Amino acid sequence: MKQIRNFSIVAHIDHGKSTLADRFIQRAGLIEQREFRDQMLDNLDIERERGITIKSNTVTMQYTAKDGVDYELNLIDTPGHVDFTYEVSRALAACEGVVLLVDAGQGVEAQTLAHLYAALEHDLAIVPVINKIDLPGMDLDRIREQIDSELGLDSDDVVLCSGKTGQGVDELLEAIVTRIPGPTGAEDEPLSCLVFDAHYDPFRGTVVAFRVKNGRLKPGDVIRFMANKSTYKVEEVGRFKIRRVPCKELVAGEVGYLIAGIKTVSDVAIGDTVTLEARPCAALLPGFKEVKPVVFSSVYPISSDDYPGLVDALAKYKLNDASLIYQKDSSVALGQGFRCGFLGLLHLEIVQERLEREFDQSIIMTMPSVQYRYTLQDGKQVVVDNPAYYPDPGLIEKSEEPYIRTSIMIPERYMGAVMTLCLERRGENSTFTYPAPGRIEIKFDMPLAEVIFDFYDRLKSVTQGYGSFDYELIGYRESSLCKVDILVNGEPVDALSCMVHRDRSRQRALQICERLEEEIPRQQFKIAIQGAIGGQIIARTTVSAFRKDVTAKCYGGDITRKRKLLEKQKKGKARMKMVGQVEIPQSAFVAVLKTDGD
Amino acid sequence: MLRPGLYVHVPFCRTKCPYCDFYSECAPERIPAYLGAIEREAHLRREAHPAYDTLYLGGGTPSSLSPDELATLVMGLRSALTLEPGAEITLEANPADLGQPLLDALAALGVNRISVGVQSFDERELRFLRRRHSVSQARAALRRVRHQGFASLGVDLIHGLPLQDWEPWRQNLEAALDFEPEHISCYGLTLDEHTPLGQAAKAGEFELPSEAVQAELYLRTSELLTRRGYEHYEVSNFALGPAHRSRHNQKYWHGEPYLGLGPAAHSFEGHSRSWNHRTLDAYLAALDAGRLPMQGFETLDAGQLRLEELALGLRTVEGVSLQVAAQNPGAPALLTRLEAEGRVQLLPDRVLPTPRGFLVADAIARMLA
């Protein structure tokens, strides 16, 4: 049997994961130097810019070890954010080991720990690595000490390397083949493949990335997705070598792709099991979960003329992102649009940015919401994620909202700040454990709604980046909810309405009013901004009228300059929405999504 | 039929004013070359229009030219271009330059309108604006201009200086009114960030009065001058009756054609606009090579023409036609509201801004655009 090693590189953000992957790719001679660019595996502009990996990528490399044995190395890249925990878990389930990177300058950080735990959960071999050893003034002894005490790993096993200079990369490759076990699994067993990713190719349809656990798969096979209960005939199988390279078959232990005329990525579920229709395996591989959106928001074109463009863009976007769901929506203030469901707030931001950048859409997104559950007096239950469908409050018997169990891991010194933050966000039932000296894990039950705005950002800021955060949904709990409407000069702006807990309503309403006050440019009349529950005003701010808006001198014949200025301002105005007589800029709709950073 | 206007940019100043962003140089030695170039440009453009009914010598500081140089300039223009009989001929002047010899020369050249850059009748304010003239020089100059019998005297003033409120500004206005000028321009001090004064303000060296104070100064100026018989006919301009409005400047605001000569001058022909090289060097180089000193050119589409018509029309007491103003679906409601707020007066076919409307003319133009 061929020698294979399947592994992931995991690290706290900015610890050099993508750069190290680049070195591996160069070392394996997969591409010519002239084709090389940094962050080779991060295909999206937004990934390169933010330095994060959103979509995972896989690459297969050949490596001849010091003892002369040829290995096939499968590097399975993972996305790095809590919204994508499930995708990460599926990618890890396809590996036998991980390379755990620790930055030589920064040492062990929150996500280093979180990744370590995830790897241990999957029973993976761990190769600890201190990266960036080219950095001046780092303290290797301190980092080794952290690896011993905080990670509970043996610092004698640590490989030193620099993704930047390439130093230590050979030693690391050697460690990967000697310390990570080869895959187990039998080629003659019935086929079972773990799907860990899927992306869209405009010419070939969906390209499914998977790991063969047992059996063998070749073109012409009729396959069955066990969870989705769909069957396809395989057109092509192959390996990811930056480009797709077709092959005759893939066998137990290998990682690769299949193309089978699958129209959209939505037809493929991450974590699903692929087997043969003719000779199916006994059961789904463990760990499959249906991914359900938890955050909902509506997307509107800034100019209603752009609606057809948005329809088209969403359909195209959806081809490559199965986790986005959407359906038609409409608003008095914003016209025709779509209600979308997202995995989390980062996912929402990514969709927003990609729609704007890659599809050139100017869009407004409304306040994100979770799915609330209302029981009406007649016993009927309704699930509402859009404030537009908030039931008549007189008819509501019981309101419930989704709760999560959060797990927050932090150095002990941040405990006070994190407790305060969680209690502010209606956290309850806290428990503490000490996984390592100086480390604390705090668990809280919290309403999901309290987490979807900026909880992660706030956690990062109060823990100076050391807080890691994970959560699972634990079901609905009864709650006192109300709908807050926002009125601009007496006119309700439906797109700004939100459902919130009654105790938080005044604060939330005021926050929105203040944001709008900052963002709505002064106009030649006073603008009242009010937050209301039903007919009762609970918050109010005012945008004062401007008193003067005219150029004193406009002659000498240079009218062009004047007009260009007006044209520029007018262009800005095209990004405004008229509500009654008031122009509300797109930035106002965006700003209300952000809560205070202090 | 209305004749086009002729503008000549005289890009020379004895000293640079720290708030001004018009092009000028302190290089009197280059005046002769400039005068030759203007004459050449006038000849190159002699086919542009058959005749002109206004000539505006602006700058810069046209009065910084000597009587002989001004004579050379005007004669050079007249050798190539035709000024109609009765044409309005305006010269912008610094009070310090308006000695008797210059005034005699101007009268002889047919200049009939002198626009005097007094800016303030307060010594401290003049120092803040770093003007090179004194209050007494200004008064003497205005007396001389009056005495010379020019058809029209214009006084330029600047309001909205740091710490200025109504009373000191009112005294400025009264001081100007003593000379019974036919025309008064009152400009709110505007700080362009490219100017030294703009930089100083940015660095926090001083602050302009609040918008509320600026608006108050503006509206009370309008009231006072209207009471004294002046017509507030443009955002910053007042005339003692329609006959004394600046015929030339109105061409800019009404979208009428004009030809601009000299560095940085702009020309307009109804649908297209062109502009000359901004610097004296580039301007002279082009003419030395026998080329038109034109640096840029644009043709306006219907949308641009309408935008300019709105932006400029709303600066004037004539306003804009309702047809131009009310093209967007939201416009009628907006106009009704603006009328209720006292910003405009609505006639069956026109929208006329009030002084309160002038104060936000750019905003109204943007809203209607």
Side-chain angles (χ1 to χ4, degrees), chain A residues 33-331:
Chain A
Q33 194 56 36
R34 65 184 162 77
E35 289 180 291
F36 188 79
R37 37 182 203 159
D38 285 346
Q39 283 182 260
M40 200 68 210
L41 293 184
D42 294 344
N43 290 330
L44 303 171
D45 286 346
I46 164 171
E47 290 183 313
R48 285 157 192 277
E49 259 168 49
R50 291 195 178 188
I52 56 169
T53 304
I54 295 162
K55 209 70 188 138
S56 61
N57 271 294
T58 297
V59 61
T60 298
M61 301 168 280
Q62 298 304 317
Y63 173 67
T64 306
K66 283 192 182 132
D67 58 10
V69 178
D70 286 332
Y71 286 89
E72 182 175 292
L73 302 184
N74 293 308
L75 166 57
I76 298 168
D77 201 10
T78 55
H81 189 275
V82 63
D83 284 0
F84 304 109
T85 318
Y86 175 69
E87 281 81 352
V88 175
S89 82
R90 292 307 84 204
L92 291 183
C95 298
E96 275 78 37
V98 295
V99 170
L100 179 67
L101 289 190
V102 179
D103 183 299
Q106 304 191 321
V108 170
E109 293 196 3
Q111 286 182 325
T112 319
L113 261 177
H115 286 301
L116 172 69
Y117 285 110
L120 291 175
E121 214 171 285
H122 285 91
D123 256 339
L124 302 181
I126 292 156
V127 180
V129 172
I130 300 180
N131 189 26
K132 305 197 189 176
I133 54 165
D134 56 302
L135 286 178
M138 36 127 204
D139 182 355
L140 274 185
D141 288 340
R142 180 179 69 91
I143 312 279
R144 281 180 188 281
E145 163 66 27
Q146 286 184 339
I147 288 172
D148 282 324
S149 64
E150 300 201 23
L151 300 184
L153 299 172
D154 188 345
S155 65
D156 291 341
D157 294 342
V158 161
V159 180
L160 302 179
C161 86
S162 162
K164 194 171 157 201
T165 64
Q167 189 188 349
V169 168
D170 287 345
E171 288 80 351
L172 177 53
L173 286 165
E174 204 60 28
I176 288 169
V177 301
T178 53
R179 290 199 232 156
I180 295 177
T184 55
E187 292 177 17
D188 46 7
E189 290 278 310
L191 179 73
S192 63
C193 305
L194 173 68
V195 174
F196 61 82
D197 196 14
H199 64 265
Y200 182 74
D201 178 309
F203 303 106
R204 305 296 306 272
T206 302
V207 178
V208 181
F210 62 96
R211 152 79 191 271
V212 188
K213 290 286 190 180
N214 283 305
R216 49 205 324 141
L217 178 68
K218 57 183 188 309
D221 287 345
V222 176
I223 53 165
R224 176 177 183 78
F225 287 91
M226 292 180 75
N228 272 7
K229 299 186 175 56
S230 51
T231 56
Y232 298 92
K233 189 171 173 184
V234 176
E235 293 168 9
E236 179 180 318
V237 298
R239 300 188 178 88
F240 293 108
K241 297 187 165 187
I242 301 296
R243 294 177 191 83
R244 293 195 303 263
V245 179
C247 62
K248 282 191 187 134
E249 66 172 358
L250 288 170
V251 301
E254 288 192 295
V255 169
Y257 68 86
L258 67 83
I259 292 171
I262 305 168
K263 286 212 181 63
T264 76
V265 292
S266 308
D267 298 326
V268 176
I270 306 300
D272 202 347
T273 303
V274 177
T275 191
L276 290 181
E277 178 79 353
R279 192 192 169 206
C281 60
L284 264 169
L285 292 163
F288 175 74
K289 241 178 21 182
E290 213 177 316
V291 182
K292 283 197 182 127
V294 292
V295 176
F296 297 81
S297 163
S298 296
V299 180
Y300 292 97
I302 289 195
S303 156
S304 41
D305 302 349
D306 296 340
Y307 178 73
L310 181 61
V311 174
D312 195 43
L314 269 173
K316 282 196 183 127
Y317 179 85
K318 171 77 178 163
L319 289 176
N320 221 345
D321 184 353
S323 39
L324 172 76
I325 60 157
Y326 65 92
Q327 63 184 52
K328 277 191 178 171
D329 193 13
S330 70
S331 144

Side-chain angles (χ1 to χ4, degrees), chain B residues 189-209:
Chain B
L189 178 60
T190 309
L191 297 177
D192 185 287
E193 62 174 322
H194 305 294
T195 63
L197 215 56
Q199 288 296 322
K202 212 173 158 188
E205 290 172 28
F206 63 87
E207 258 181 49
L208 294 187

